[in-house]
Amino acid sequence: VLPLVHECDAAAAATISADMKFGLFDQGDLPDFLAVKAAFESTYACLGITCEHVGGLVDADGDPLHAMTAPCDDGPAFPLIAGYIPGSDVVPHSRVDLDQQAMEAALAEAVPDFATAKQWYSVGGNSIKSGNTNRTIKGFSTGAQGKMYDNCPGCPYKTYEAFYGYYGDFDYADRLVSAALDGADMAFASGRHGPNNFASLGPAARIEAAKKGSAYMNVWM
């Protein structure tokens, strides 16, 4: 499990490794149990588990056998989001789904309202970032290079690197969705999966590309 802990917190993994290496006991070095326990527990949220999942050493009545081995306390719990256990308050992030919903509602009108759909896609309004600016579906794509490819911890992200390698554009998702909403022709730099001639394709194709592209390319990544 140490590599997974390291991926979450290198310092926590170093604490565990330093105290749990083979040969320490023979040298008379006993592990700092509480430090190791705390290091593990500090990464539970990142690992996708809780104190309740791990439990503690208890007797038949559920009482701790020792205070040191009692179950930990997860502290204030954040509400589950679609089964995901958030480690912090990500409700403002999740509200970007309301922008997606509003965009799709505009596209579902008897006469598809592409202008309003583009407003929700590119400007947003439901998901607010620090500094009182909007988090947008478009921004998930246009900001991806800096967050998942260049100068960021763990970069480049393996999945994003594969998508960039296929399409040849860092903002491949936005290029598709924006062209669909604008009714413009576009092609990816790699020449793959195109051309996408939204200027001549009908509303059904534009709607399909905008809805599925934004959900499965912008937001998913």
Side-chain angles (χ1 to χ4, degrees):
V1 75
L2 199 57
L4 299 178
V5 173
H6 178 83
E7 184 70 16
C8 290
D9 187 332
T15 296
I16 296 166
S17 176
D19 275 78
M20 301 297 291
K21 290 179 180 177
F22 290 113
L24 293 178
F25 181 79
D26 292 339
Q27 299 171 15
D29 294 329
L30 299 179
D32 185 338
F33 179 85
L34 290 178
V36 171
K37 183 171 182 283
F40 270 116
E41 291 171 353
S42 71
T43 63
Y44 281 0
C46 174
L47 294 171
I49 59 178
T50 66
C51 292
E52 184 178 1
H53 288 144
V54 177
L57 296 179
V58 298
D59 61 22
D61 296 322
D63 296 321
L65 294 175
H66 191 284
M68 292 175 61
T69 61
C72 62
D73 183 357
D74 288 307
F78 296 101
L80 294 179
I81 299 177
Y84 166 71
I85 304 171
S88 59
D89 183 9
V90 293
V91 171
H93 298 71
S94 69
R95 289 180 63 84
V96 77
D97 284 351
L98 298 177
D99 292 343
Q100 179 81 26
Q101 183 182 50
M103 184 188 81
E104 295 191 13
L107 295 174
E109 293 184 11
V111 177
D113 188 345
F114 288 102
T116 297
K118 184 177 181 179
Q119 178 79 6
W120 284 112
Y121 169 76
S122 60
V123 179
N126 288 296
S127 181
I128 309 300
K129 297 190 293 184
S130 58
N132 205 35
T133 58
N134 290 341
R135 181 179 291 103
T136 68
I137 302 171
K138 178 185 177 78
F140 287 158
S141 176
T142 57
Q145 180 181 356
K147 294 178 179 178
M148 293 187 279
Y149 197 87
D150 293 333
N151 304 316
C152 50
C155 280
Y157 288 13
K158 183 177 180 180
T159 302
Y160 179 71
E161 184 178 30
F163 275 64
Y164 166 64
Y166 180 82
Y167 291 113
D169 297 293
F170 288 109
D171 59 346
Y172 60 87
D174 177 59
R175 286 175 55 79
L176 178 74
V177 175
S178 288
L181 291 171
D182 290 338
D185 293 344
M186 66 79 60
F188 296 110
S190 67
R192 297 187 179 101
H193 198 62
N196 299 283
N197 299 322
F198 295 115
S200 55
L201 290 171
R206 293 175 60 191
I207 291 170
E208 196 76 359
K211 288 170 58 176
K212 292 188 174 178
S214 57
Y216 303 149
M217 295 173 75
N218 293 62
V219 177
W220 177 80
M221 181 62 71

